[in-house]
Structures are given as structure tokens and as C-alpha cells.
Amino acid sequence: MSTTLNQTWFMTQRQLTAILRQPAYLVITLIQPVIWLFLFGSLFRKVVELPGFGSGSYLDYLVPGVVVMSAVSSNMWAGMGTLEEIERGTLNRFLTTPVSRTALMNANVVQQGISTAVQSAVIVLLGKLGGADYPGGIGGLVILVVASILLGTVFGACSNALGMLVRQRESIIGINTFLLLPLTFLSSAFMAPALMPSWMRHVADFNPVNWALVSGRSAMAADPRWGDVLSRGGALLALAVAAVWLSTRTFRAYQKSV
């Protein structure tokens, strides 16, 4: 077990180093959430005046939405990295080494989790500088970040599995583009559930993106709703484990095909 963990961390460091060598990519991944945060925050700030919205500041409401949306949008592209390693032959060369197959597959997910945590922390800090209030304190913010990491793991692992199966950039781009906006807007990322059409609220109940939002916002409230935190957080954890298992099984199928 310790050997697998060590190998996973080594492979994760390799991927983190590759990211740090792409400053343009780092800047873009940080600027995009800033645009969402302050553009949407300015555009919809008066929506809190609608009866039933239930929040005094739209920025307070928006920060968890941007954190979760960023986790989804960044992790959805994990399969592109896997596909690139397949095309370059890097992955096949690693298959000839004694490195753990679990480490090979999960390093990408761990790297995405670390990136998601850093990105989430930056968004939370920028929100605070912009005037957002976090009544739940550090504990609530930690739960929000953990929920975003679990959600990112779900999409990152599924994206890896997709990359292994389709092995075409166009397919990954098409599927991700198709899913991103429906998953986001069929949740409470930007609008309070009380103001959503009833059918959208029912769909949101089965949307993992909304599970992360409900878990994070419930923990960040002045009076945390721990039942919602545990139920949605537990569902996210179970889904993340299932997604990682699926990714691992897909990798084994790929290994047999080469």
C-alpha cells in the first residue's frame, strides 16, 4: 500500500511540474473564475431583492457557485491529458515499468484535486476581498473546498475513463461542452432554489453539482445544517469512489488492448 501511495505521489508530482511549466495555462485557469465571480456578481446583484431569494448579498451566494462551477469545468478536461499521453506513447512506456497501474491512473485525479483546492482557495479569498461574508467560518469553507474536490474527482475520473474509451479529442470536447452548462444551470449555482421552476428543482435534487453546492452552503451558514452536509457529502463521496473504480477498470481494459 505504501509503495502504491509513493508511486502515486511521484506520478502526481510529475504532472504538477508539467502544469507549472505552462504559466499561460495557470493564468487562464485563475482569470476565468475571477470573471465569473465579479461579472456575474455585478450583473445579478439585485436579484437578492426578489422575495424568497433568502440571501442579503448576491456575492455571498455566488462564491460557492463559482467554486463548484470551476471544479466542474477544470476537471472535465482531465481526459485530454490522458489522451495526450496515449498519443505521445508516454503511457505505454510507463506500462513497461514496474510502477503501479493504480498510481498511473489516479495520479491525474490527485493532481486535479490539488489544482481544484488551490483554485477554490483563490476564489474564496477574492470573494472575501470583494466583500463576501462567510458566517460558517474556516470550517464551512473547508467543507466547501472538500465538496468541490469530491465533485472534481467525479468528473476527472469520468473524463479519464472517457479518454480511454473514445480516444478522440473531438468527442471529449463535444461531450464536455454539451454537459457543462446544463449541469451548472440545473443547479442552485446562480439562482436560489425557491425562485427556480419546480421541474428544475426536482432535477437539481439528482444533480451532483447541486449536491456539492448544498453541502458547501449548508456548512457555510451561520447555523450549519449538518444533515444536508452529511447526506449530500456522503453521496458525493460514494459517487467519487464509483467514478475512480470505473476509471481504473477502463484503464485495465486499455492495458489489455495494447
Side-chain angles (χ1 to χ4, degrees):
M1 178 64 73
S2 61
T3 300
T4 300
L5 291 176
N6 289 336
Q7 292 176 350
T8 300
W9 178 237
F10 175 81
M11 298 300 296
T12 301
Q13 286 180 302
R14 169 181 167 271
Q15 297 204 13
L16 288 172
T17 301
I19 290 177
L20 292 174
R21 290 174 178 171
Q22 304 176 61
Y25 173 80
L26 292 174
V27 171
I28 290 172
T29 55
L30 292 177
I31 287 180
Q32 190 176 48
V34 172
I35 293 174
W36 290 338
L37 188 64
F38 293 107
L39 184 62
F40 288 177
S42 299
L43 183 62
F44 298 118
R45 69 180 185 278
K46 290 191 176 181
V47 76
V48 295
E49 299 174 6
L50 295 174
F53 190 87
S55 178
S57 166
Y58 188 66
L59 188 60
D60 292 358
Y61 186 85
L62 182 62
V63 168
V66 174
V67 166
V68 169
M69 185 177 178
S70 298
V72 173
S73 63
S74 59
N75 282 274
M76 277 183 129
W77 301 103
M80 296 291 279
T82 301
L83 183 58
E84 184 176 350
E85 296 216 325
I86 291 174
E87 292 175 345
R88 289 181 175 180
T90 308
L91 189 57
N92 290 351
R93 288 196 292 272
F94 275 121
L95 289 175
T96 64
T97 69
V99 66
S100 166
R101 286 7 183 190
T102 302
L104 283 175
M105 198 66 239
N106 292 338
N108 187 293
V109 175
V110 175
Q111 174 263 309
Q112 290 286 342
I114 294 172
S115 299
T116 298
V118 172
Q119 190 178 55
S120 300
V122 170
I123 295 169
V124 167
L125 178 60
L126 289 174
K128 186 66 176 178
L129 293 175
D133 186 30
Y134 307 129
I138 296 297
L141 292 174
V142 169
I143 290 175
L144 171 65
V145 173
V146 170
S148 70
I149 292 173
L150 287 175
L151 183 67
T153 299
V154 171
F155 285 98
C158 288
S159 182
N160 278 333
L162 182 63
M164 291 282 180
L165 290 173
V166 300
R167 303 185 197 177
Q168 293 180 337
R169 295 176 183 275
E170 294 79 7
S171 297
I172 297 176
I173 292 171
I175 292 172
N176 288 353
T177 304
F178 173 76
L179 290 177
L180 179 59
L181 288 182
L183 285 170
T184 301
F185 287 104
L186 290 174
S187 73
S188 59
F190 303 115
M191 184 58 64
L195 300 180
M196 295 166 60
S198 60
W199 70 269
M200 291 183 73
R201 288 199 301 271
H202 293 308
V203 172
D205 288 337
F206 299 95
N207 184 354
V209 175
N210 202 56
W211 299 348
L213 287 165
V214 171
S215 181
R217 287 198 178 113
S218 298
M220 292 173 66
D223 185 17
R225 301 184 298 276
W226 296 114
D228 289 341
V229 173
L230 293 175
S231 61
R232 270 52 170 213
L236 273 177
L237 177 60
L239 192 58
V241 171
V244 171
W245 176 83
L246 174 64
S247 177
T248 303
R249 295 291 297 179
T250 306
F251 178 72
R252 289 176 181 172
Y254 167 79
Q255 184 179 353
K256 292 178 181 178
S257 69
V258 295

